[in-house]
Structures are given as C-alpha cells and as structure tokens.
Amino acid sequence: MPNTVNGQVSHWFDQLPTPRPPLPGDRDADVCIVGAGYTGLWTAYYLAQADPSLRITVLEARFAGFGASGRNGGWLSGLAPGDRHRLARQHGRDRVLAWQQALNEAVDEVIEVARREGIDAGAVKGGTLEIARNAAQAARLADAIAEERAWGNDVTELTKEQAAEHIRFDGVVSAYHTPHCARIQPARLARGLAEAVERRSVTIYENTPATEIAPGRAVTALGTVRAPIILRATEGFTPALPSLRRTWLPMNSSMIATDPIPAALWDEIGWQGCETVGDSAHGFFYAQRTVDDRIAIGGRSVPYRFASRTDVDGQVPARTIRLLTDVLHSILPQVREVPIAHGWCGVLAVPRDWQASVGLDRASGLGWAGGYVGHGVTATNLAGRTLADLVLRRDTSITELPWVGHRSRNWEPEPLRWLGVRGLYVAYKLADRHEAGGRSRTSPIARVADVITRKPH
C-alpha cells in the first residue's frame, strides 16, 4: 500500500499542531497536572470552572492530544473500564449500578460541554451496533445482552435483517444496538478542550516531559513545577516514569482509515445513523463512519512491545495495515476498491486487574486517574470531574463510586509480562479460528486465557 500514510500520530490530525511553548523554568502552582490528554484536560476544566482562583499548570510531553486521546476509535461510550462483577463483590451492586449510570450520563455531559465551548467534535449519538458473525459469537452476544440489561443499560436485540437496516455488513448472524454512545472526532475534542482550559487561565506547557513525580513537585529537564497537589494523567505512557514501570501496561491498538467513500457507495452500505460498530470476536474490531465520510477501523494486531516500549509517532508494521484491511474487506466487501489512506497506532493503559481507578492521597498530595483498558473516551470525563471534587475536598455522589481509591497490584517483571500478554492474544487468535469452524459456544482456549489473565469477560 505505497500511498498509505503510516503513523504521523493519527488520521484525526489534519496536520500536526504547532506546539505551545515549553516550561520556561521553575514554576509554582496550586495544582500541577502531568499529561494533556482527556484525563488531564477534563480535570483542569472542572477545577478551573469550580475555582477560577486556582493556579493550574499542565505539563505535556509532546502536545495536547498526542497520546490515546488523539488516536482512539472515537467511541464516546458508556462502556465500563473494568470488571463490574468484581467491583460489585467488593463494594456492593448498588454502587456499581451508580457507576454505570454515571458513565452513561457522561456521554451527554461531554456532548453538552463541547456544544457550550464551541468544540466541533463531530458528535453524533447514534449508539453502538454490536455484531456476531458465527454461532459462538452469537452465543456470547446473547450473554452480553443479558449482562448489559442487568446493569441497567438499554439494549435492543436485532436479527440479521434488522441489523442490515442499520449497516449492510457481510455474514452477520445476530446483533444488538445500545444508545449509550456517540461517534466523535477525537483529536478535535482534545484540541478544543485544551483551548477551553486556556480560556480559563490554565497554563499548558508542551514539549515538556516529566521525568519524576513526587510529593510537592513535578520534575522536568526544563525546570520543576512545585505544587501541593500533583495529578498524574499519563495513561499508557505511565511506565516511562521511574518507580511506575510495572504499574500499568501500555497495550497497543492500531487503526486504519479509508479514503473518503462516495455517496453512491454509502447508499449500498447504509450506516446513515453514524453508529459505532464492534463485534464479539476475541480479536475484536471497532469502527466508525468518520466526520469526513471515511471508515476508520481498529484492532489489536501487535498488542504489546517488550519492556513496555511505545510506538514512534504512531508508526505501525505494514502487516498490521494489511490485517486490518482484510478485516474491513471481510465485513464490508463493498469497499474493496477504496484505498486505505492512513494507518496508525497508540497505547492504552491496562492495570493488572483490568480495572481503571481514580484517587488522591491527601497526605502526599499525589493523585491519579487512568488505566481505562481502552474504554476511556467517556470515562476520562467522569474521572476528571471526580479528581476535581477530590482536590476541592467535596464529598459528592461521584467521589463515592467504586473505582475511587482502587489499587491494582503491579504487573510481573519481564519477560513474564511480555510472554503473558503475547500468549493471551495468540490464544484469542486460535480461539477465533476454533469458533469459525462451527462451534456453538465460546472456545475453551479463550476461557482458559481469561482465567489466567483475570481479564473481564
């Protein structure tokens, strides 16, 4: 694919932004936030809104939205970033139901803030279409419908004919639709949020990577920001910080985007509701119809790099672009002649127990939020509001949610975590092949892999 752009952060950036100035030396602040992705920006936004007198400084290694916030699939979704059953055993079912409701409400909160702040994030709340393409996937899909309804989510079960009224995918056996999701252009949201917090007198320093986070200070090569509250919002780049190398694992996810698709071809495909789309395979895909009438589709491919290394500005192996192209052509053979315009990747943070968390240690002044396991576009908004309440010492309904203060144990040292993660996804690939042969239920290969890794079902 000689004309396919590879890397350059992501397709969502029409052109890479001109960076803001770096930290000009030592500074003092009331709150210092490390990381100018969604988590850091939402936290700054709600803090500045609640108390305009606060001196808030944000440090960013590259530029606002450079990480997962500017590379994700654009699912503004109520998907829970963790295992609801495990949390319910620890904290009670009612608190987990409240968490799920808060995540669903956060979808509308993000859309409303974008409208209020004049951020053109391309939001269309068309919900999510989840499809199954063989008997085992259909069995999992049926279980997922019951599961989502049990946690208070609206889900409509669809026959293959009803699914085709949304989008005419090839080989669909069954599907469901849930309204708790909007399609967005993720980089526009990140850049717009950065501008919104600056209008509230928050200072963002770019090209300023933190080398140490400690009580009362965030250290960089350009100077130190001293503040009584230091908040870590570094998500998949957290392992680059000393003493945090095994805290969260940087899981890799890759995407491609097609050239713009002509109107006549969209008439064949459908997708008029701009639903986000996923499937119930173990090596799942996620997709959207973009603001500029392309299809963007993603999946795991190379899930993890040894020693928690991260990509170079989103560059992906050529085989990853080919693999995702094959997935796209499998579900939508109508687009086989549409060129692939762009391929890229990014990292998301995965705690050892696959559970996102938000917290603030009042004694040290150190706080954090993240570990969203790929479900962070909406969860970051709820996390940012929660961190703001914790900093301001406000006891609210969201500071009582079960992810607040949660601690996950560290990942294993290398090479154990590399072997474990790579083994997990090899097992999932084998399980998908096993199920494609006609199994009516989930492959035992996948069940064993889930148990070993404690990955939520």
Side-chain angles (χ1 to χ4, degrees):
M1 299 180 183
N3 297 320
T4 301
V5 176
N6 189 336
Q8 296 184 18
V9 185
S10 81
H11 167 72
W12 306 123
F13 290 96
D14 298 329
Q15 58 184 28
L16 296 186
T18 301
R20 295 170 172 82
L23 182 70
D26 293 347
R27 291 291 185 272
D28 292 328
D30 297 313
V31 179
C32 177
I33 300 169
V34 180
Y38 291 151
T39 299
L41 294 172
W42 281 124
T43 304
Y45 180 85
Y46 289 107
L47 278 171
Q49 184 180 63
D51 186 351
S53 71
L54 284 174
R55 297 171 302 155
I56 303 169
T57 294
V58 181
L59 301 178
E60 166 55 41
R62 291 289 296 277
F63 56 81
F66 170 79
S69 299
R71 309 192 202 185
N72 63 77
W75 285 39
L76 183 62
S77 165
L79 287 167
D83 188 329
R84 292 171 295 194
H85 288 284
R86 191 180 303 154
L87 283 181
R89 289 193 296 271
Q90 295 169 348
H91 302 282
R93 178 177 172 77
D94 286 348
R95 290 179 69 184
V96 180
L97 284 167
W99 184 49
Q100 180 64 72
Q101 181 63 30
L103 288 164
N104 291 344
E105 291 170 354
V107 176
D108 294 322
E109 169 71 6
V110 173
I111 294 171
E112 171 55 24
V113 171
R115 184 201 63 77
R116 191 167 64 236
E117 296 293 340
I119 301 170
D120 180 14
V124 178
K125 195 178 181 185
T128 294
L129 185 69
E130 190 82 5
I131 64 172
R133 302 183 71 224
N134 59 44
Q137 289 181 24
R140 273 197 302 282
L141 191 84
D143 290 343
I145 290 170
E147 173 83 358
E148 293 308 311
R149 287 173 175 167
W151 292 111
N153 288 328
D154 300 325
V155 179
T156 301
E157 190 171 1
L158 304 174
T159 64
K160 63 180 181 180
E161 291 81 12
Q162 291 168 327
E165 292 174 9
H166 290 263
I167 308 166
R168 286 180 278 282
F169 287 121
D170 191 57
V172 171
V173 174
S174 62
Y176 74 69
H177 179 267
T178 177
H180 306 298
C181 189
R183 181 280 313 271
I184 65 165
Q185 209 281 23
R188 287 189 193 173
L189 177 61
R191 301 302 294 173
L193 271 178
E195 292 166 4
V197 301
E198 286 181 313
R199 290 195 294 270
R200 286 166 169 75
S201 300
V202 173
T203 303
I204 302 173
Y205 295 113
E206 296 185 332
N207 282 328
T208 307
T211 57
E212 180 188 359
I213 295 174
R217 67 184 188 275
V219 181
T220 81
L222 303 173
T224 297
V225 177
R226 300 189 182 278
I229 300 291
I230 308 287
L231 304 177
R232 171 169 52 83
T234 48
E235 194 56 5
F237 297 99
T238 299
L241 290 163
S243 79
L244 297 173
R245 299 192 190 283
R246 291 164 52 199
T247 300
W248 292 337
L249 183 141
M251 186 79 74
N252 195 66
S253 198
S254 303
M255 295 196 74
I256 59 170
T258 67
D259 272 358
I261 293 173
L265 194 48
W266 280 120
D267 289 340
E268 291 183 32
I269 295 167
W271 217 332
Q272 301 305 311
C274 294
E275 303 91 339
T276 58
V277 182
D279 74 337
S280 50
H282 302 292
F284 58 87
F285 75 83
Y286 52 93
Q288 67 150 280
R289 176 176 177 172
T290 69
V291 170
D292 53 354
D293 279 334
R294 305 169 190 259
I295 294 172
I297 183 169
R300 286 289 181 264
S301 185
V302 179
Y304 173 69
R305 293 177 170 89
F306 189 83
S308 294
R309 293 196 304 270
T310 56
D311 58 87
V312 178
D313 289 1
Q315 292 179 20
V316 292
R319 67 180 183 277
T320 296
I321 296 175
R322 290 194 297 270
L323 183 151
L324 290 172
T325 302
D326 289 344
V327 172
L328 174 61
H329 293 169
S330 172
I331 59 172
L332 282 173
Q334 304 95 313
V335 302
R336 283 188 178 278
E337 302 307 315
V338 178
I340 303 301
H342 204 146
W344 71 96
C345 70
V347 291
L348 52 106
V350 178
R352 185 61 182 85
D353 60 359
W354 300 75
Q355 176 59 57
S357 60
V358 182
L360 175 64
D361 176 33
R362 183 60 59 186
S364 67
L366 296 177
W368 77 93
Y372 302 112
V373 297
H375 297 164
V377 177
T378 304
T380 53
N381 174 271
L382 181 58
R385 283 185 279 138
T386 305
L387 267 182
D389 283 348
L390 292 172
V391 169
L392 297 170
R393 298 178 181 265
R394 301 195 299 198
D395 293 327
T396 64
S397 60
I398 60 175
T399 62
E400 296 299 316
L401 294 175
W403 66 341
V404 177
H406 178 83
R407 298 277 188 171
S408 305
R409 70 180 178 88
N410 282 347
W411 280 87
E412 291 78 4
E414 294 293 19
L416 295 178
R417 66 178 180 271
W418 184 86
L419 291 169
V421 176
R422 295 297 284 252
L424 171 68
Y425 282 93
V426 168
Y428 284 157
K429 187 178 293 186
L430 292 172
D432 280 331
R433 291 177 184 170
H434 195 193
E435 293 172 5
R439 284 187 58 85
S440 61
R441 303 295 298 180
T442 294
S443 168
I445 300 171
R447 293 191 185 278
V448 170
D450 284 345
V451 169
I452 291 172
T453 60
R454 299 189 72 196
K455 184 176 182 291
H457 292 224

